[in-house]
Amino acid sequence: MALRFHNTLTRSQEEFRPLDPAGQKVRLYCCGPTVYNYAHIGNLRTMVFFDLVRRHLEIRGFHPQHVMNITDVEDKIIRTVQESGEPLSLLTRRFEAAFFEDLDLLGCKHPHESPRATEHIPQIIAFIEKLEKKGVAYKTQDGSVYFSIEKFPCYGKLSRLDLNQLKPGARVSQDEYARETYGDFALWKAHTERDGNIFWESPWGRGRPGWHIECSCMSMQHLGETIDIHCGGEDLIFPHHEDEIAQSEAATGKPFVRYWLHSAHLLVNGEKMSKTAGNFFTLRDLIEKGFTGREIRYALGSVHYRLPLNFTLEGLHAARQALHRLEEWADRLHACCAKTQAASSGGLLAGFLEALDDDLNISEALGSLFQIRRETSGQMDRNELSAGKAAELWQDWKQIEQLLGLPDNPAQEAPADVTALAEKRLAARKAKDWKQSDELRVEIQTKGWTVKDTPEGYKLTRA
RNA sequence: GGCGGGUUAGCCAAGUGGUAAGGCAGGGCUCUGCAAAAGCCCCAUCGUCGGUUCGACUCCGACACCCGCCUCCA
């Protein structure tokens, strides 16, 4: 079966075929971070999803061109700047760097390009002028420019919202200027006192871009007027992506995006994790609790992207254990195949990829992996697994590890004092002095290490 | 109120019109000086009520509860 994705636009699963006539190049745009604070792991779950989309495309022979915007001017950024006094670019560069560090810790590939909104102001202005010429944008008295959704008849096709049916009394925007129609959205926001020195000159006076326009503009500049895949969190469906479609398609008359992919939220105690709710963990919080990027990556990536992921420390422990068993198995395979080269794939990879072809069905993929893990563990116990087969499986595993983006755990060399204790214990065991041996094991444990006895001698692991 | 999504064992979770993958936790056993690690085994009838069907957890219809979106949001 071919690669299929669930397209939010049609709310159904569709076979993926890129626009490229050769069927190789894939224009992939992902909605990136707003850099005014550390990302929380809900944000990062989405990044892990993006990374899986990309890696799976790559392993299936496509050549994705991956672009992710950096939103470095926006209301909350400006508020933070005004409160802290730190210059805009210092603040945003600091958190942009932190964001990329997080990607590294989680083994997410960096996008090929990560354009910043503030470095595309002239293009954004040109884009808005184009919309004005098309007659779908209008300037208000205060010098802002709005998009008129009445001029775009398919407005609402992505979110399937009927703007006339909005709940009365639902959140009404605070930044009401003189919009003609409720639902019109800002392309350009006029400068106000609150913005301080953050503004750009434009044909409409001083101001800054609206939130949605940067994605349309940079997507088009870096990938073209119609792109293949646009990814984001599901909360962006409305209004962000709806507005992107409106302004982009109004400007070009062409379809903006062919496949819209949205990931579900990460929940804490059944509620959406968000900065405003205050119920969030950053990656740094979890690393401090002793989890590795590899474990966190597995935990974030092992639940299907369109399902809410209820995040718990228990879940992280489960991820740690599951990974550990895979690693033990892989080590045994490696020892078993020693010097043998794999002649071909062991079939493990093929099954894994087929599962992922089905809208990235990670659960089925992992299920098939664990099933083979168990079968072949038993075979190794009974000495029934050939070196050739072990080599094939090992090779498949290494590819799956890549596909899952599992970063290596930090090197764990036991410190000299711990090694010395282990050596002392080895001697005690040889002398069959079990009492001293056990005392030494406890002592090693209190230093944060676990000693295991294997036929080849002792093995130290982080407790 | 509108629009989406969900409800499978203690927890996470796949899946099919013919009697439920996998992971974590738990229990038993093997191995081990004892452990650890590893292996084997055990552990659900799929939210409720109706309907269609020879047969539904899987199809249809109600209902209940949960979550998200309805212009801060990944």
Side-chain angles (χ1 to χ4, degrees):
Chain A
M1 281 280 267
L3 174 58
R4 289 144 284 152
F5 287 126
H6 178 90
N7 189 347
T8 308
L9 196 57
T10 59
R11 308 288 161 110
S12 59
Q13 212 175 83
E14 296 173 5
E15 182 175 338
F16 175 69
R17 293 178 187 280
L19 201 57
D20 174 24
Q24 294 226 298
K25 184 180 169 189
V26 176
R27 302 149 211 258
L28 172 67
Y29 186 92
C30 301
C31 271
T34 301
V35 282
Y36 69 105
N37 205 330
Y38 292 110
H40 61 60
I41 56 166
N43 301 323
L44 294 172
R45 182 214 185 170
T46 303
M47 301 305 141
V48 166
F49 155 59
F50 296 165
D51 194 55
L52 182 63
V53 170
R54 170 170 170 183
R55 287 178 189 264
H56 192 249
L57 286 168
E58 286 172 344
I59 204 168
R60 280 311 200 189
F62 296 103
H63 297 298
Q65 175 70 13
H66 179 196
V67 175
M68 179 162 69
N69 63 295
I70 302 290
T71 298
D72 60 351
V73 56
E74 175 265 2
D75 292 9
K76 280 179 304 223
I77 296 175
I78 291 173
R79 199 186 312 140
T80 308
V81 164
Q82 300 309 349
E83 284 166 6
S84 71
E86 184 177 9
L88 179 89
S89 61
L90 279 183
L91 175 92
T92 56
R93 292 305 171 88
R94 196 154 57 82
F95 286 111
E96 181 185 314
F99 173 75
F100 282 111
E101 281 170 24
D102 287 352
L103 290 190
D104 290 336
L105 279 167
L106 291 174
C108 293
K109 289 188 179 185
H110 289 209
H112 298 107
E113 292 179 80
S114 42
R116 301 182 182 103
T118 56
E119 293 175 354
H120 290 72
I121 301 294
Q123 292 92 326
I124 288 171
I125 288 172
F127 198 105
I128 298 171
E129 287 180 314
K130 189 171 179 182
L131 290 171
E132 273 191 320
K133 284 198 191 94
K134 296 259 180 182
V136 297
Y138 58 90
K139 181 181 169 180
T140 56
Q141 282 210 319
D142 70 347
S144 293
V145 182
Y146 282 87
F147 184 93
S148 173
I149 61 170
E150 286 178 341
K151 304 280 171 52
F152 189 71
C154 349
Y155 190 82
K157 69 178 174 182
L158 180 70
S159 57
R160 304 193 179 186
L161 284 179
D162 178 354
L163 290 189
N164 299 318
Q165 292 287 316
L166 285 180
K167 183 182 182 180
R171 271 187 281 166
V172 176
S173 165
Q174 299 86 346
D175 57 28
E176 295 282 0
Y177 301 99
R179 282 187 287 181
E180 288 174 358
T181 302
Y182 181 74
D184 287 355
F185 56 91
L187 298 165
W188 186 261
K189 292 188 170 187
H191 179 254
T192 70
E193 298 237 338
R194 288 193 306 270
D195 299 344
N197 61 352
I198 299 168
F199 60 81
W200 288 264
E201 300 291 348
S202 82
W204 315 282
R206 289 176 170 183
R208 60 193 163 93
W211 173 36
H212 318 293
I213 193 74
E214 67 178 65
C215 281
S216 289
C217 183
M218 299 196 290
S219 172
M220 258 178 223
Q221 180 179 333
H222 295 275
L223 293 171
E225 293 182 334
T226 297
I227 69 166
D228 292 300
I229 301 175
H230 191 128
C231 301
E234 64 181 354
D235 52 351
L236 297 185
I237 295 171
F238 189 86
H240 188 53
H241 290 160
E242 195 69 70
D243 291 349
E244 283 186 46
I245 290 174
Q247 64 203 182
S248 302
E249 299 190 354
T252 67
K254 296 175 186 164
F256 176 48
V257 171
R258 304 177 61 240
Y259 301 87
W260 284 96
L261 271 53
H262 292 97
S263 59
H265 290 301
L266 184 138
L267 312 177
V268 179
N269 296 324
E271 302 281 322
K272 178 175 152 184
M273 177 176 284
S274 75
K275 287 181 185 156
T276 39
N279 60 345
F280 64 92
F281 289 106
T282 63
L283 190 54
R284 285 161 177 75
D285 295 334
L286 298 179
I287 301 276
E288 274 175 29
K289 287 183 190 293
F291 292 100
T292 64
R294 181 178 172 92
E295 290 161 349
I296 297 164
R297 165 88 193 216
Y298 185 92
L300 296 180
S302 57
V303 172
H304 184 81
Y305 75 94
R306 287 194 290 111
L307 233 48
L309 192 168
N310 194 23
F311 179 81
T312 60
L313 255 29
E314 189 189 2
L316 258 185
H317 276 107
R320 166 178 286 172
Q321 289 305 114
L323 255 183
H324 181 71
R325 295 187 74 200
L326 287 172
E327 286 155 4
E328 290 281 334
W329 166 72
D331 284 350
R332 288 181 75 194
L333 279 178
H334 195 45
C336 184
C337 65
K339 298 180 182 78
T340 311
Q341 286 295 313
S344 61
S345 163
L348 167 60
L349 181 63
F352 200 91
L353 295 183
E354 271 169 35
L356 288 183
D357 280 346
D358 179 16
D359 194 34
L360 305 176
N361 190 337
I362 190 69
S363 300
E364 191 177 319
L366 290 173
S368 70
L369 171 62
F370 276 98
Q371 221 153 349
I372 288 177
R373 186 211 67 85
R374 190 176 54 185
E375 285 167 18
T376 55
S377 284
Q379 288 169 1
M380 282 189 280
D381 280 353
R382 299 186 298 273
N383 244 318
E384 288 170 2
L385 192 72
S386 72
K389 183 71 181 173
E392 290 172 7
L393 289 168
W394 159 258
Q395 182 183 273
D396 280 6
W397 160 250
K398 293 315 277 183
Q399 289 204 60
I400 287 172
E401 208 178 11
Q402 284 293 309
L403 176 59
L404 294 178
L406 296 171
D408 289 335
N409 274 329
Q412 300 216 320
E413 277 300 304
D417 57 330
V418 173
T419 311
L421 288 171
E423 285 294 336
K424 206 170 155 190
R425 179 169 171 278
L426 181 64
R429 291 188 74 239
K430 275 184 180 157
K432 295 199 190 292
D433 183 348
W434 308 127
K435 187 166 179 291
Q436 197 197 2
S437 166
D438 288 349
E439 283 168 6
L440 285 163
R441 181 164 62 205
V442 171
E443 199 177 339
I444 291 168
Q445 192 76 39
T446 57
K447 288 185 180 290
W449 291 79
T450 301
V451 61
K452 293 188 280 187
D453 299 317
T454 72
E456 294 81 39
Y458 66 82
K459 202 169 151 188
L460 287 164
T461 53
R462 193 95 213 156

